[in-house]
Amino acid sequence: MTFKPPCSNAGTTATARRRRRVPVASLACAVLGAVALGTAVPAVAVPAARPATAVDCTGHTTRDTTSDPTRNTTSDRLPELDPQALRQALSSAPDRVTGVLARVSGPDGHWTGTYGAADITTGAPVPVAGRFRLGSVTKTFIATVMLQLAAEHRVDLDQPVQHYLPDVLPDSYPPIPVRTLLNFTSGLPELSQDDLPTTPDGIVAHRFDDHPLAELVAKAVRHERPFTEPGCMQAYGATGYYVAAMLVEHLTGHTYQQEITTRILQPLHLRDTTAPQTDTTIPGPHSHGYIAVPRPDGGSQLVDITEQTPGAGGMIATTADLDRFLTTLFRGQLLPPTEQAELFDVPDVPYLGSTDHDPGQGRAYYAAGLMRVTLPNGVTVWGKTGTTFGYTNGMFTTRDLRRRLVYSFNPTTGGGNDLALVTRILSAAFAP
């Protein structure tokens, strides 16, 4: 099916391409490339890595009609869980990554492993139950809350954002349906590297600065929109979810962090997951986050940035809690069927600026808060990645939940640039 809406854009217009299975390497490139404002810096020496440890234990859209999460033909082709491949994947972390944690769960096998150090000064090992910052994985929680509000008839996904938030977007903008915020087809512009500090020394100096949602949106909408017709293309970004979070707050009278807590964290008893608003610390056991800051002599030094303002992607969790959230979400226990379908409703539109190496092969591959990718062995997984300074993580599962992966690692390059490591972890879990 080909969709040809009238659409202009400021970048490269992707054309429809013949779909084929995509290498897992392209998944990492696509999902990490747009989620961090951090910049890479030269790799620095870190203490010798610890050995890997493991506990083996059509129209505008086309809807995925396999809505029954227990029916997934790709699960029949899942390879046997390979602990050795997982151990090798974790221990392949480069020097610019100080620690790695991964958990595989589901009826097709369980495995948990760690690698590296939680603290480069003491050499303490990465805690298996350690907490970490989620970054853009927070988007999945925001999308879930928005869909719950839609189920409660407190928001209409087809209504323009301007109907609910009349003074947030410029008057020159066309009506932007709420749904397009969640599936990345709104055409809202993104922050540039000039809007917030992105150099290593700037990140360190300003890591406690507060940036309210309204400020982030106001800065972003000063830039040119990537395309002019909402719904005609997909482009991953953060601005749509800043607006969605503002919409949650407008509709409920509570912060989006409070709504995530009362609607998801508390009912699911996710006791190790928090949605802080101002707390700069990570409670409980955790690996430290670092960033390599250049020295005048041409070298670099690692600066601990574990403590930082939580910001718009400031949730904190463990692999076990994210696994529980993902399982409950996919079982339909957080959303009614109509809203549940939005999680897997990938728009049938071009992906802006895509290449043949992207998961969608030139087409969209994000739905509301989740992304879809088919691995080389034919297994399709759904999930989300995230990164913030010092922390990169992700959660993925087959649709039927037979195998689930949650991982976290600590890059010293600002987050989001160790694509090879993400590739190896995903491949080891689903396509060894």
Side-chain angles (χ1 to χ4, degrees), residues 52-410:
T53 60
V55 182
D56 289 331
C57 347
T58 344
H60 282 265
T61 62
T62 179
R63 189 175 298 277
D64 184 342
T65 58
T66 57
S67 58
D68 182 354
T70 65
R71 299 181 62 185
N72 183 357
T73 57
T74 60
S75 67
D76 295 335
R77 297 192 295 273
L78 270 176
E80 290 188 11
L81 192 63
D82 188 344
Q84 180 61 25
L86 287 159
R87 283 191 288 268
Q88 290 176 348
L90 267 61
S91 61
S92 71
D95 286 346
R96 60 182 175 270
V97 172
T98 56
V100 191
L101 168 63
R103 172 193 178 101
V104 178
S105 304
D108 281 355
H110 294 259
W111 184 89
T112 302
T114 66
Y115 176 80
D119 186 323
I120 64 171
T121 302
T122 66
V126 173
V128 172
R131 303 181 187 186
F132 46 87
R133 297 187 183 279
L134 299 191
S136 286
V137 170
T138 301
K139 289 184 174 73
T140 309
F141 288 84
I142 294 174
T144 302
V145 171
M146 281 292 299
L147 293 174
Q148 288 179 339
L149 292 171
E152 296 164 8
H153 305 291
R154 301 172 71 176
V155 63
D156 183 343
L157 299 181
D158 294 317
Q159 278 279 6
V161 173
Q162 293 94 326
H163 173 75
Y164 301 100
L165 299 172
D167 301 320
V168 171
L169 302 180
D171 293 338
S172 60
Y173 278 21
I176 296 179
V178 171
R179 178 180 282 103
T180 67
L181 301 177
L182 304 183
N183 65 17
F184 304 102
T185 62
S186 67
L188 293 178
E190 298 298 318
L191 294 168
S192 74
Q193 293 193 355
D194 296 327
D195 293 322
L196 294 173
T198 57
T199 61
D201 53 352
I203 292 167
V204 171
H206 295 278
R207 67 186 185 276
F208 297 119
D209 291 358
D210 181 35
H211 298 285
L213 292 169
E215 174 193 323
L216 296 175
V217 173
K219 288 183 176 181
V221 297
R222 293 194 301 235
H223 302 297
E224 184 178 3
R225 297 176 60 214
F227 51 89
T228 59
E229 182 68 23
C232 78
M233 296 189 110
Q234 186 174 82
Y236 184 84
T239 305
Y241 272 81
Y242 297 153
V243 177
M246 294 177 66
L247 186 51
V248 169
E249 297 184 347
H250 173 76
L251 295 170
T252 66
H254 305 131
T255 66
Y256 78 90
Q257 295 98 330
Q258 289 174 314
E259 288 297 310
I260 288 173
T261 300
T262 58
R263 290 172 173 268
I264 302 174
L265 306 188
Q266 291 175 348
L268 269 58
H269 305 290
L270 303 182
R271 297 182 177 88
D272 294 327
T273 300
T274 56
Q277 298 179 54
T278 58
D279 189 356
T280 61
T281 65
I282 299 180
H286 60 273
S287 291
H288 288 240
Y290 302 91
I291 190 168
V293 178
R295 297 193 307 256
D297 62 7
S300 299
Q301 63 177 354
L302 292 185
V303 176
D304 192 320
I305 55 170
T306 304
E307 294 189 9
Q308 53 186 273
T309 297
M315 288 186 66
I316 295 168
T318 62
T319 58
D321 273 8
L322 285 185
D323 180 73
R324 183 178 179 87
F325 166 64
L326 203 59
T327 300
T328 307
L329 182 64
F330 274 54
R331 284 178 176 166
Q333 295 173 324
L334 290 174
L335 297 168
T338 298
E339 286 69 33
Q340 179 80 359
E342 297 284 345
L343 297 172
F344 307 102
D345 189 8
V346 176
D348 186 18
V349 297
Y351 192 92
L352 179 64
S354 68
T355 71
D356 285 340
H357 301 295
D358 291 333
Q361 294 290 280
R363 308 297 289 177
Y365 50 91
Y366 283 96
L370 294 174
M371 68 171 295
R372 176 189 66 195
V373 64
T374 299
L375 304 177
N377 61 350
V379 173
T380 296
V381 294
W382 294 81
K384 187 69 183 72
T385 61
T387 189
T388 187
F389 302 122
Y391 298 87
T392 291
N393 64 100
M395 56 181 187
F396 286 92
T397 181
T398 54
R399 183 75 178 269
D400 58 9
L401 298 170
R402 293 197 63 82
R403 183 168 298 167
R404 309 182 298 272
L405 166 70
V406 184
Y407 65 85
S408 174
F409 60 86
N410 306 102

